[in-house]
Amino acid sequence: MRRHDLVIMANRLPMRRSGRASGGWERSPGGLVTALHPVLRTREGLWIGWDGTSGRASRTIEHDGLQMKPVALATRDIDAFYHGFCNRTIWPLFHDAIRPAEFNPRWWEAYHRVNERFAKAAARQVARNRAVWIHDFHLLLVPQMLRATRPDLRIGLFLHIPFPPEEIFARVPWRASLLHGMIGADVVGFQTWKDAQNFSRASRHLADAEGTDSNLTFHGHKVRVNSFPISIDAKEMETLAARPSVQKRAVEIKSRLGNRRILLGVDRLDYTKGIEARLVAFERLLETHQASSDRCVLVQVAVPSRETVPEYEQTRTRIEEIVGRINGEFSHPGSVAVHYFRRNLGREELAAWYLAADVMVVTPLCDGMNLVAKEYVSSRVDGGGALVLSEFAGAAQELRQAIIVNPYDIDGMAAGIRRALHLPRSEQRFRMSILRMVVRRHDVQEWSGTFLGALERA
Ligand code: ADP
Ligand code: F6P
């Protein structure tokens, strides 16, 4: 069996099995795949993860220039590990506890069991003294498990979501085990420095680690802790947006919407993304006559996500109710106020929507980074467009020239959207040129190079 110099591990493979798409595979949803797919393509490693189905363990697969090793999850694992501990315990808790987290010992056992399976798979696949890069909250125990069997390896862990303040994290009954799992890595990376500090403080206070916010020691093992803000393949996005077919489609979209000003939201359908608040802010503009559906339209494209988790089902219902309410009140023949599409767009179509949008509205209540904001900026090869961005997205720390809003303040958010719609052209172009420069300079290649460089030196 061939052993690899670099193994990437994430809960999901970059492609998931599908009955519909060509060859039975389609791109997996979410920001992790957007960021890591181009990294792995250039570095020729192996990606270990779940293929989105139940119970299919199989050999290594080559697809779209990627080498992928599927890890099997049985139906009970999908329920207790993925839907349970990952999506109903860690996800809400790490996102400011904006929904109550559930602490179920059976889910915890499943989390432990599945992490062990991932650790075993990695131990078999990676060459001696080489690197394993573990991603996200699904696999927090893997670093320690892997170190126990393969102490020769360099082990990196990157958390794509926020790490909560200690007083929120402390609620987890298995908090010390989670921290010990993470501390097994040589480098632990976060989206922002605040997340890194939260982790280091929790490790010192709840898991007996010693040291500073950036260097921890636990039982003689040294761990580097830092922030590594993730990004996108900016060049690829620019190339896509510059294609004549994409530009033509953007013009067509505008014309089909009656050449009104377009406000656009693009998200996984998740309660953290602030989709309801954004809709209500738009409604506020309409009811106070600061905007009219004759002149502007809000388009919300939401890709279905984690649909069997009740909180996601409730979020979907609420969004659909609000869309119905706004359209019932403010649409006219030929000028629907809100267009809502519950679907996954292809990359070209997505780029065309970004190009067509006068204002991109990105308003999460809490988000590790938010790559949609970076994709929008990068795709504006024409220098146009304006970005409204929540202060609670990691991206707000870099994209300072966006119009920054608080998604809990509906009037403030409505004012931010209105301001974006009325920005003087020179200011709008100035802001966009700086935003574009920031994303181009700090792209995903820089991110992966910096992380892997830190791992190499560890
Ligand atoms: P998260 O990782 O929480 O899903 P991000 O904003 O970081 O959030 O990344 C979302 C990724 O998913 C982006 O690459 C974006 O283009 C993609 N995406 C989101 N919504 C859609 C959609 N409706 N259709 C296609 N792609 C989408
Ligand atoms: O970090 C956000 C994340 O959990 C990623 O792991 C993934 O990109 C995305 O959300 C999609 O989630 P899921 O794999 O649960 O569909």
Side-chain angles (χ1 to χ4, degrees):
M1 183 183 72
R2 177 179 164 207
R3 292 200 164 197
H4 298 261
D5 288 349
L6 175 65
V7 166
I8 286 184
M9 304 177 74
N11 175 50
R12 269 190 198 281
L13 288 172
M15 311 291 290
R16 60 180 176 182
R17 289 191 190 271
S18 137
R20 285 167 304 173
S22 58
W25 291 92
E26 65 184 4
R27 184 186 161 107
S28 301
L32 184 151
V33 168
T34 298
L36 278 175
H37 192 277
V39 171
L40 200 71
R41 235 181 359 213
T42 47
R43 291 183 185 262
E44 294 185 356
L46 174 77
W47 186 318
I48 297 179
W50 171 48
D51 67 6
T53 63
S54 58
R56 258 200 251 203
S58 64
R59 59 194 165 74
T60 303
I61 299 157
E62 257 198 82
H63 186 86
D64 193 21
L66 297 173
Q67 297 230 46
M68 303 185 286
K69 172 77 190 154
V71 171
L73 292 190
T75 306
R76 68 176 185 140
D77 296 327
I78 298 173
D79 284 345
F81 158 76
Y82 174 65
H83 294 312
F85 201 76
C86 293
N87 292 336
R88 301 186 70 185
T89 305
I90 304 190
W91 182 268
L93 197 79
F94 281 38
H95 286 90
D96 262 359
I98 53 182
R99 292 286 185 283
E102 286 180 52
F103 303 111
N104 178 333
R106 201 175 54 80
W107 294 351
W108 166 247
E109 279 164 28
Y111 188 77
H112 199 278
R113 183 171 68 236
V114 171
N115 271 245
E116 248 165 7
R117 201 172 309 150
F118 270 88
K120 274 193 193 137
R124 280 196 294 270
Q125 298 289 341
V126 61
R128 203 166 162 70
N129 295 326
R130 296 301 173 168
V132 176
W133 192 4
I134 300 157
H135 289 266
D136 228 357
F137 62 99
H138 312 85
L139 304 177
L140 297 181
L141 302 179
V142 172
Q144 186 196 31
M145 290 171 169
L146 195 52
R147 175 166 305 288
T149 50
R150 293 289 308 268
D152 58 299
L153 300 178
R154 285 169 197 280
I155 303 173
L157 170 69
F158 183 78
L159 188 69
H160 291 248
I161 65 174
F163 194 94
E166 186 188 331
E167 55 278 17
I168 292 186
F169 180 76
R171 294 176 199 173
V172 188
W174 312 280
R175 62 199 189 187
S177 303
L178 280 175
L179 291 168
H180 290 153
M182 297 174 76
I183 291 171
D186 298 294
V187 177
V188 185
F190 296 89
Q191 300 282 20
T192 68
W193 180 238
K194 187 84 212 144
D195 298 320
Q197 280 180 318
N198 285 344
F199 166 73
S200 294
R201 286 172 191 176
S203 300
R204 286 195 300 265
H205 300 153
L206 305 170
D208 294 329
E210 290 176 342
T212 64
D213 286 351
S214 47
N215 286 293
L216 290 174
T217 309
F218 182 67
H219 292 180
H221 168 64
K222 287 190 169 46
V223 191
R224 297 271 308 152
V225 180
N226 210 343
S227 60
F228 301 86
I230 202 167
S231 195
I232 58 163
D233 188 337
K235 275 206 198 85
E236 190 188 44
M237 196 75 222
E238 286 181 13
T239 310
L240 196 61
R243 277 191 201 162
S245 56
V246 171
Q247 307 227 337
K248 191 164 155 246
R249 173 71 181 143
V251 173
E252 183 185 311
I253 287 170
K254 271 199 105 54
S255 132
R256 287 206 176 195
L257 292 172
N259 289 313
R260 290 178 288 167
R261 312 290 307 282
I262 299 176
L263 305 166
L264 178 66
V266 172
D267 314 77
R268 255 185 328 99
L269 208 165
D270 195 299
Y271 54 80
T272 59
K273 300 291 181 183
I275 301 171
E276 297 111 296
R278 172 187 317 165
L279 288 164
V280 174
F282 182 58
E283 184 178 36
R284 190 69 48 90
L285 286 175
L286 295 170
E287 65 198 8
T288 54
H289 308 289
Q290 298 183 73
S292 94
S293 63
D294 293 334
R295 284 196 296 277
C296 61
V297 53
L298 173 66
V299 179
Q300 176 63 52
V301 192
V303 58
S305 182
R306 307 173 190 170
E307 287 196 297
T308 49
V309 175
E311 289 76 11
Y312 285 74
E313 224 182 307
Q314 290 153 13
T315 304
R316 174 182 167 188
T317 306
R318 259 199 309 275
I319 290 170
E320 292 177 357
E321 273 169 15
I322 302 172
V323 170
R325 186 177 77 209
I326 299 175
N327 281 337
E329 201 64 39
F330 298 103
S331 294
H332 303 291
S335 56
V336 172
V338 179
H339 282 272
Y340 165 67
F341 305 113
R342 208 179 119 266
R343 71 192 62 155
N344 193 17
L345 302 178
R347 300 301 287 171
E348 281 213 3
E349 180 70 1
L350 187 63
W353 276 98
Y354 286 149
L355 268 179
D358 297 281
V359 178
M360 187 78 207
V361 200
V362 182
T363 56
L365 305 175
C366 182
D367 208 338
M369 175 54 62
N370 197 289
L371 293 183
V372 165
K374 293 189 173 182
E375 288 175 347
Y376 175 66
V377 162
S378 205
S379 68
R380 294 314 302 237
V381 285
D382 59 342
L387 174 65
V388 172
L389 180 60
S390 160
E391 62 184 286
F392 304 122
Q397 304 208 359
E398 292 171 85
L399 304 181
R400 312 296 304 177
Q401 295 295 329
I403 293 176
I404 305 287
V405 295
N406 171 0
Y408 290 95
D409 170 9
I410 298 295
D411 287 328
M413 191 155 48
I417 294 173
R418 191 177 137 76
R419 186 165 165 224
L421 278 169
H422 296 284
L423 271 188
R425 195 167 158 74
S426 57
E427 183 182 344
Q428 173 262 311
R429 296 189 82 80
F430 174 71
R431 284 174 179 262
M432 190 48 79
S433 70
I434 296 185
L435 291 170
R436 290 176 51 69
M437 196 173 68
V438 170
V439 177
R440 199 178 299 140
R441 279 199 189 151
H442 303 292
D443 65 0
V444 77
Q445 280 78 18
E446 192 214 37
W447 169 76
S448 59
T450 311
F451 189 98
L452 291 172
L455 191 55
E456 187 67 27
R457 288 191 300 278

